[in-house]
């Protein structure tokens, strides 16, 4: 870990921030104000910073139309900045664990999450989709640079093109929306030598505040309950927002995230002893050594431009670029363990591996927003073009292949460093995946109380490998979207929606050929509530998804590390979700979600049994003067998979974990907070498999101190 080198510049940032604060107090700056225009494409009424809210008044993830949660004809929820801070949710994986309906399916540093029985395989950043979120990068994105995360359940093909009908997470960046100098400094300490510091500063760059800047930096060093494991995270983010004229807005930004992990696992612990009984190990034990590592660097920059032309008609341009570099040195064990000696059983294999990978992604989105009035009713049309190019530059590697692991002692795991050199290029790389799409969406007020939300996307998708193996393309794929929202009264609306699904797959059959894309349909209906002028939102929905499924055969593809899959047409997932988020009183905030589904193959058997059928998350916070207290419960029902070694299932039974929070506002500038996760130290698995048994975190705490100025 190289903490000293990175903590010094961050400390200088903190010192400069304090110095500037003293100067600001000397010249007696006015109270903080927010730019009236909020200077940029993305700075809508959905901003959640400094609102103390658990919900939002506006979101555009589903259709790019600015809709309230009540007007959105799909199950939708939002993790506001206040909700993230109260629950100490700091990363992508933390977020997934607290999202109703999501099963994490953790393998090591990687997660393969599911919702409604299907994979969550893309994210959106400021509304633009990205598809490189899990495998090679194992990126656990830090959330410090985001104002909120919007979530839309079900298919989201109108905005993303290819995608699964699980859910979409849309990360909305923070912006420089203060006309005066302001900011905060955070210090934290927690279990397993977890130490963090961050600074977040906003300042005007011109006297009238029409050009503003914001800078965010974070450094974190942590160890773990796991042997050998250490992790260091550094994040830097800067953005400049400009009101060029009263009708022209420009935003420029860049970010850098560096995650370094040592003593890393690749896969998990074995599920079985050699006699076929379930193996149990201490949570701290992993199959790794101090020479293993998994490092990631992500660099990104973006441009957002908005021009109003007439009567609130706007032209919008957004561009983003991300470059991801990863390096690994890993060891994976396949086999069972002798119950008496705790030695790796004869026939078990150890695979050592090192790699260097580089990925690059470009996103472009151009669209026009055209609001208008017709028949004394308000309407809006969005029309635009989206482009995404994912360029897998390289994945150079070297591996030992499976070698005998008979000397591996699970009492004292010690793996010799093979000192490999990752210089063999993966045969199909470089490769490029390009998506293009033209879309049209509209909100039409058929009556005062009845709105039609509808749209259409025409997409193309192309994959090109360097050696031509697996090249394929699909043109003129049509994704329709239609939803009706009817206001029953001032507080309640009923809705129904429909969209189709198209998703090419990277899964292959036994002959190493790519399988045909998944196709399907998604239906949803429900009732939503909006109370206290939008401060509290509720929902109850039912859904049905008809989609192509893919099943792991458990049979390895010859000369390939992956298993063969088979395509299953006619998978059906149906279920319901209900929830409530927001402020019930000025002192009481609530966030609750429950999701249940049943997914079946055409023959009636269960589909994707590694997904919990019922999940629920509850969090409540109560404030008394300068004190606040929060408590939460997280429930996951049983999940299981079929073992490839024995004729049995590997099962994680249903479980509940509990969280607590206590905070105290010492002064108007200084705030203290304590979070405790897994209060009763529940022992459970976040990932299951023959050689991928991964425990969830034991009881842990974080104590934080925030100084605002």
């Amino acid at each position: 870990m190289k903490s000293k080198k990175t903590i010094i510049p961050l400390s200088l940032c903190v010192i400069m921030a304090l110095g500037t604060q003293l100067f600001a107090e000397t010249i007696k700056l006015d109270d903080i104000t927010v730019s009236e225009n909020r200077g940029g494409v993305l700075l809508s009424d959905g901003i959640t910073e400094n609102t103390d809210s658990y919900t939002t008044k506006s979101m555009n993830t589903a259709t790019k139309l600015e809709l309230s949660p009540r007007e959105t004809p799909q199950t939708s929820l939002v993790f506001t900045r206040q909700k993230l801070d109260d629950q100490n949710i700091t990363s992508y994986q933390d977020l997934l664990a607290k999202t109703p309906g999501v099963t994490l399916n953790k393998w090591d540093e990687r997660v393969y999450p599911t919702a409604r029985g299907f994979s969550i395989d893309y994210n959106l950043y400021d509304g633009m989709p990205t598809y490189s979120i899990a495998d090679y990068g194992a990126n656990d994105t830090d959330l410090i640079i985001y104002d909120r995360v919007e979530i839309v359940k079900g298919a989201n093909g109108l905005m993303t093109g290819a995608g699964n009908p699980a859910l979409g997470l849309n990360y909305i960046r923070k912006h420089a929306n203060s006309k005066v100098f302001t900011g905060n400094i955070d210090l934290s300490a927690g279990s397993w030598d977890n130490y963090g510091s961050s600074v977040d500063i906003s300042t005007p760059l011109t006297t009238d505040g029409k050009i503003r800047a914001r800078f965010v930096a974070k450094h974190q060093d942590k160890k773990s309950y796991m042997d050998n494991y250490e992790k260091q995270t550094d994040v830097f983010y800067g953005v400049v927002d400009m009101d060029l004229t009263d009708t022209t807005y420009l935003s420029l930004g860049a970010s850098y995230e560096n995650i370094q992990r040592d003593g890393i696992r690749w896969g998990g612990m074995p599920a079985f002893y050699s006699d076929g009984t379930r193996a149990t190990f201490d949570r701290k034990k992993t199959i790794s050594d101090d020479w293993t590592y998994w490092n990631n660097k992500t660099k990104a920059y973006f441009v957002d431009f908005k021009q109003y032309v007439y009567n609130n008609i706007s032209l919008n341009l957004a561009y983003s670029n991300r470059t991801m570099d990863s390096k690994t040195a890993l060891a994976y064990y396949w086999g069972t363990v002798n119950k008496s000696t705790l030695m790796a059983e004869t026939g078990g294999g150890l695979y050592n591996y090192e790699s260097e990978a580089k990925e690059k992604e470009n996103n472009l989105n151009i669209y026009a927003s055209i609001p208008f009035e017709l028949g004394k009713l308000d309407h809006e049309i969005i029309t635009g073009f989206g482009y995404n190019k994912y360029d897998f530059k390289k994945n150079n590697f070297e591996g030992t292949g499976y070698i005998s692991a008979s000397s591996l002692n699970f009492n004292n795991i010690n793996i010799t460093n093979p000192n490999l050199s990752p210089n063999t290029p993966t045969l199909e790389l470089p490769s490029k995946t390009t998506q293009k799409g033209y879309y049209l969406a509209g909100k039409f007020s058929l009556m005062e109380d009845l709105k039609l939300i509808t749209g259409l996307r025409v997409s193309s998708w192309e994959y090109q490998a360097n050696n031509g193996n697996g090249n394929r393309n699909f043109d003129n794929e049509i994704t329709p979207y239609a939803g009706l929202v009817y206001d029953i009264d001032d507080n309640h609306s009923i809705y129904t929606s429909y969209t189709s699904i198209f998703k090419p797959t990277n899964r292959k059959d036994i002959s190493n050929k790519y399988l045909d894309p998944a196709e399907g349909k998604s239906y949803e209906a429900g009732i939503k509530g909006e109370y206290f002028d939008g401060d509290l939102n509720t929902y109850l929905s039912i859904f049905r998804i008809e989609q192509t499924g893919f099943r792991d055969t458990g049979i390895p593809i010859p000369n390939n590390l992956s298993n063969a899959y088979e395509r299953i047409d006619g998978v059906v997932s149906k279920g319901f979700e209900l929830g409530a988020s927001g402020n019930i009183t000025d002192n009481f905030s609530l966030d609750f979600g429950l999701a249940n589904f049943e997914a079946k193959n055409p023959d009636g058997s269960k589909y994707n049994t590694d997904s919990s059928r019922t999940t629920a998350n509850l969090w409540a916070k109560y404030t008394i003067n300068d004190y606040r207290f929060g408590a939460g419960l997280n429930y996951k029902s049983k999940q299981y998979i079929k073992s490839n070694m024995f004729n049995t299932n590997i099962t994680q039974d249903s479980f509940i974990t509990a969280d607590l929070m206590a905070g105290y506002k010492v002064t108007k500038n200084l705030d203290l907070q304590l979070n405790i996760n897994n209060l009763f130290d529940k022992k459970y698995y976040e990932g299951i498999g023959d050689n991928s048994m991964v425990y969830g975190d034991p009881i842990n705490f974080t104590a934080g101190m925030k100084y605002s100025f």
Side-chain angles (χ1 to χ4, degrees), residues 234-237 254-258 296-300:
D234 291 290
V235 182
F236 298 94
Y237 171 71
S255 64
Y256 171 83
E257 182 173 27
N258 185 12
N296 302 95
K297 291 181 182 178
T298 304
K299 294 175 284 187

Side-chain angles (χ1 to χ4, degrees), residues 210-284:
K210 289 187 175 182
I211 301 179
R212 306 166 300 280
R214 186 167 188 169
F215 174 73
V216 180
K218 178 179 179 178
H219 175 78
Q220 183 179 32
D221 267 314
K222 63 183 294 187
K223 295 182 181 177
S224 171
Y225 63 93
M226 297 179 288
D227 289 337
N228 300 314
Y229 185 94
E230 295 182 43
K231 180 180 180 181
Q232 176 182 299
T233 302
D234 291 290
V235 182
F236 298 94
Y237 171 71
V239 62
V240 176
D241 290 295
M242 294 170 271
D243 306 339
L244 300 179
T245 71
D246 290 341
T247 59
T248 308
Y249 310 104
L250 179 65
S251 182
L252 306 172
S255 64
Y256 171 83
E257 182 173 27
N258 185 12
I259 303 174
Q260 298 183 68
R261 312 175 188 93
D262 295 322
I264 201 72
R265 60 195 167 184
W266 190 24
M269 297 298 292
F272 296 102
Y273 294 119
S274 53
D275 63 2
T277 59
R278 281 288 302 275
T280 57
F281 298 95
D282 192 290
R283 280 182 285 192
K284 70 178 182 178

Side-chain angles (χ1 to χ4, degrees), residues 55 81 166 216 478 609 662:
T55 189
R81 175 41 56 185
V216 180
I478 297 175
T609 58

Side-chain angles (χ1 to χ4, degrees), residues 57-341:
K57 302 291 180 70
S58 175
M59 59 192 307
N60 63 12
T61 299
T63 60
K64 271 209 184 310
L65 298 161
E66 288 290 345
L67 304 173
S68 69
R70 178 181 167 185
E71 293 175 311
T72 303
Q74 287 178 261
T75 301
S76 54
L77 53 150
V78 61
F79 280 81
T80 64
R81 175 41 56 185
Q82 188 66 52
K83 190 190 302 186
L84 295 171
D85 290 344
D86 285 346
Q87 296 187 57
N88 193 36
I89 297 172
T90 62
S91 72
Y92 167 69
Q93 294 185 18
D94 292 344
L95 178 73
L96 290 173
K98 298 297 172 62
T99 301
V102 172
T103 302
L104 210 55
N105 293 319
K106 194 165 190 175
W107 275 62
D108 32 52
E109 291 304 294
R110 300 166 294 176
V111 293
Y112 296 93
T114 60
R116 298 185 174 181
F118 300 98
S119 296
I120 301 169
D121 57 1
Y122 66 90
N123 287 331
L124 300 99
Y125 293 90
D126 288 331
M128 292 195 288
T130 177
Y131 298 91
S132 50
I133 66 170
D135 217 351
Y136 291 93
N139 283 321
D140 189 13
T141 303
D142 197 284
L143 301 181
I144 191 171
I145 72 173
Y146 301 104
D147 170 80
R148 65 192 183 279
V149 182
E150 297 179 357
I151 298 175
V152 172
K153 299 287 188 75
N156 197 24
L158 186 63
M159 290 296 102
T160 64
N164 265 313
L167 59 81
L169 298 99
N170 188 10
Y171 298 80
I172 310 297
R173 295 181 180 97
K174 293 177 178 178
H175 278 264
N177 45 333
S178 175
K179 287 188 174 181
V180 298
F181 179 83
T182 183
N184 61 71
I185 298 168
D186 260 305
L187 300 174
S188 65
S191 300
W192 313 306
D193 296 329
N194 182 2
Y195 301 105
S197 58
S198 67
V199 59
D200 185 342
I201 301 170
S202 295
T203 184
L205 299 180
T206 58
T207 55
D208 59 5
K210 289 187 175 182
I211 301 179
R212 306 166 300 280
R214 186 167 188 169
F215 174 73
V216 180
K218 178 179 179 178
H219 175 78
Q220 183 179 32
D221 267 314
K222 63 183 294 187
K223 295 182 181 177
S224 171
Y225 63 93
M226 297 179 288
D227 289 337
N228 300 314
Y229 185 94
E230 295 182 43
K231 180 180 180 181
Q232 176 182 299
T233 302
D234 291 290
V235 182
F236 298 94
Y237 171 71
V239 62
V240 176
D241 290 295
M242 294 170 271
D243 306 339
L244 300 179
T245 71
D246 290 341
T247 59
T248 308
Y249 310 104
L250 179 65
S251 182
L252 306 172
S255 64
Y256 171 83
E257 182 173 27
N258 185 12
I259 303 174
Q260 298 183 68
R261 312 175 188 93
D262 295 322
I264 201 72
R265 60 195 167 184
W266 190 24
M269 297 298 292
F272 296 102
Y273 294 119
S274 53
D275 63 2
T277 59
R278 281 288 302 275
T280 57
F281 298 95
D282 192 290
R283 280 182 285 192
K284 70 178 182 178
K285 194 170 291 295
T286 61
I287 300 174
S288 68
D289 213 313
D290 57 9
W291 57 266
T292 63
Y293 59 85
W294 198 323
N295 301 333
N296 302 95
K297 291 181 182 178
T298 304
K299 294 175 284 187
Y301 60 87
F302 65 91
V303 179
D304 292 302
F305 175 79
K306 184 178 194 123
Q307 175 67 59
Y308 284 101
V309 291
Y310 177 74
N311 277 358
N312 286 326
I313 295 174
S314 64
L315 301 176
N316 304 266
L317 169 66
Y319 171 77
S320 68
N321 174 284
R322 293 200 313 154
T323 301
M324 295 148 283
D325 293 281
S326 63
K327 295 183 178 182
T328 69
L330 306 166
Y332 176 77
Y333 174 73
W334 171 265
T336 59
V337 181
N338 186 291
K339 194 172 185 177
S340 300
T341 64

Side-chain angles (χ1 to χ4, degrees), residues 313-316 366-371 380-385 439 441:
I313 295 174
S314 64
L315 301 176
N316 304 266
I366 304 171
Y367 69 96
S369 171
I370 309 169
E380 184 181 3
I381 292 175
I382 298 282
T383 181
F385 168 76
Y439 57 88

Side-chain angles (χ1 to χ4, degrees), residues 64 127 129 131 156-162 363-365 384-388 435-441 454-460 476-481 499-500 502:
K64 271 209 184 310
Y131 298 91
N156 197 24
L158 186 63
M159 290 296 102
T160 64
N363 276 289
L364 176 68
N365 206 306
F385 168 76
Y387 172 89
N388 171 275
Q435 296 195 82
K436 302 175 185 177
Y438 298 90
Y439 57 88
L440 177 67
T454 188
L456 183 74
R457 181 185 179 99
V458 181
S459 303
S460 65
N476 299 320
E477 296 292 335
I478 297 175
T479 305
Y481 182 95
T499 188
S500 66
F502 165 74

